[in-house]
Amino acid sequence: MKNIYNSHIEINKKIKLYHLEKNSIGMIFWNKNGLIIFNELINLIRNKLNFYNYIEVKTPILLSKNLFTKSGHIDFFLNNMFVIDNKNLCVKPMNCPAHIKIFKNNLYSYKELPIKILEFGTCTRLENTGSIYGLLRTRSFTQDDTHIFCDNKDIECELNECIKLMYEIYNIFNFKNIEINFSTRPIKKIGDENIWNKSESIIINILNKNKLNYTIKKGEGAFYGPKIEFILQDYLNRKWQCGTIQLDFITSKRLNSTYIYKNNEKKYPIIIHKAILGSIERFIGIITEHYQGTYPLWISPIQIIILSISEKYIKYVYNLKKIFIKNNIRCEIDINNKKIEYKIKKYIELKIPYIIIYGKNELIDKNISIRKRNSKNILKLKIKEFIKKIKIDIKNKI
């Protein structure tokens, strides 16, 4: 990677991921390129968690204020919440109470546990105007939010799986140096000391069994339970807290959410709160700076740009584009009447993974000329051969 550093805000000026509006402070307007990355991240998490038997849901953005009062969030987050007092409604700042409602709406047996719920849920928080910064600090954001409803016997297995998932996802983005914080009970909290002793002991045991080095962050846990935080280090050695795992013995009881145990006994499930990417908006800002806009092929908004040498070859360029689109490869064309050297320079600066040049020689030889963004060499391949290669690279998240 180049040593020259540009913020994601500077990079965005060229590649047009999103824009902001003065009248919607901290709210992101996604453009086509940004939305492609956004959806690729969602598909990555969706496909991974589907393999682990998560149930995807969608919950309302407006919820009863009474729900957040019962859960305890009003006491701890009121200053960061958008409240519609005359309607007794809140714009949800987090998804957990809504997921508990979904669990509660179904009568689950202990034999069906664990129940794993996933939502790409939009949350809104009243952040101070001065703290808002591009994609890294917003008022509205989407989380890859999951809640695992389980029995005591499931806790260790599920926490181990959560940790495994974190590393599997972060490895795709080449985040190698991952630090872990263990955040313990805050001064202001819910639940008695015995519950906190138990939950903290479980997490310490899990961290030790997984042979993970961790730093204890005293008093920085959630108000309902201790948490594990995953800190990513980018190529500039900056640290970003992204993933979290929280162990919660308390909230299901506060919201009277139960499952049926043996002999028809009702029990309160333990809840494991987990997010891998955290705010997807923020994660896009992080990886944009991490890669300096040189996204891996699989997540690049434009994977191929096809350049015509002259107007004679425009129809062939359009036909090529159709072939790539049919193979689910993101492709654009440039048929402007400008020198090919100018067009190549333009798309190298935009860091498009592959530049295809098409003219007389390609038409005669029935092949395509390909230039990778990080190479000056021109590779000549048959179209089928190139498509086969690029589809393998996309599948392997290269």
Side-chain angles (χ1 to χ4, degrees), residues 63-81:
L63 295 169
S64 165
K65 184 179 177 182
N66 293 336
L67 176 62
F68 289 104
T69 300
K70 290 177 182 177
S71 68
H73 288 91
I74 287 290
D75 292 333
F76 295 87
F77 279 94
L78 182 59
N79 291 338
N80 292 106
M81 294 174 67

Side-chain angles (χ1 to χ4, degrees), residues 21-57:
E21 293 282 345
K22 291 182 179 179
N23 294 328
S24 302
I25 296 174
M27 310 288 182
I28 304 301
F29 290 75
W30 288 110
N31 299 328
K32 176 185 174 183
N33 287 344
L35 188 60
I36 287 171
I37 298 175
F38 188 95
N39 287 333
E40 285 290 345
L41 291 176
I42 284 179
N43 288 336
L44 171 69
I45 299 297
R46 176 180 284 135
N47 293 337
K48 176 67 73 172
L49 296 190
N50 183 55
F51 181 79
Y52 286 94
N53 300 315
Y54 281 74
I55 303 164
E56 187 173 345
V57 303

Side-chain angles (χ1 to χ4, degrees), residues 304-321 331-340 342-344 346-347 355-359:
I304 295 171
I305 184 75
I306 308 174
L307 314 180
S308 59
I309 295 286
S310 71
E311 291 181 357
K312 296 178 185 178
Y313 308 103
I314 288 176
K315 73 173 185 178
Y316 300 103
V317 166
Y318 272 108
N319 287 337
L320 268 180
K321 179 181 179 180
C331 176
E332 298 291 344
I333 62 174
D334 187 336
I335 56 175
N336 289 325
N337 189 24
K338 293 183 178 179
K339 289 183 178 180
I340 194 68
Y342 169 85
K343 291 198 277 190
I344 290 172
K346 173 183 176 181
Y347 293 106
I355 299 170
I356 292 178
I357 303 154
Y358 201 89

Side-chain angles (χ1 to χ4, degrees), residues 353-384:
Y354 287 101
I355 299 170
I356 292 178
I357 303 154
Y358 201 89
K360 180 180 177 180
N361 293 335
E362 289 72 29
L363 181 62
I364 293 171
D365 297 338
K366 296 183 179 179
N367 60 21
I368 52 175
S369 295
I370 307 153
R371 177 169 172 169
K372 294 182 73 172
R373 63 186 164 195
N374 58 355
S375 174
K376 293 183 179 180
N377 297 326
I378 300 293
L379 179 66
K380 292 186 179 291
L381 288 175
K382 299 296 182 186
I383 181 69
K384 287 184 179 179

Side-chain angles (χ1 to χ4, degrees), residues 249-274:
F249 282 83
I250 301 167
T251 311
S252 62
K253 187 173 183 179
R254 288 180 69 99
L255 295 181
N256 195 30
S257 179
T258 61
Y259 64 96
I260 305 301
Y261 197 59
K262 298 173 184 176
N263 301 320
N264 287 324
E265 176 191 357
K266 289 186 177 181
K267 289 187 68 174
Y268 298 108
I270 295 97
I271 303 173
I272 299 171
H273 307 240
K274 179 183 88 277

Side-chain angles (χ1 to χ4, degrees), residues 195-213:
I195 289 176
W196 280 90
N197 290 339
K198 180 179 180 180
S199 56
E200 288 179 356
S201 176
I202 289 170
I203 288 184
I204 289 173
N205 184 50
I206 290 294
L207 292 171
N208 290 336
K209 280 190 174 182
N210 281 276
K211 298 180 180 179
L212 297 173
N213 295 321

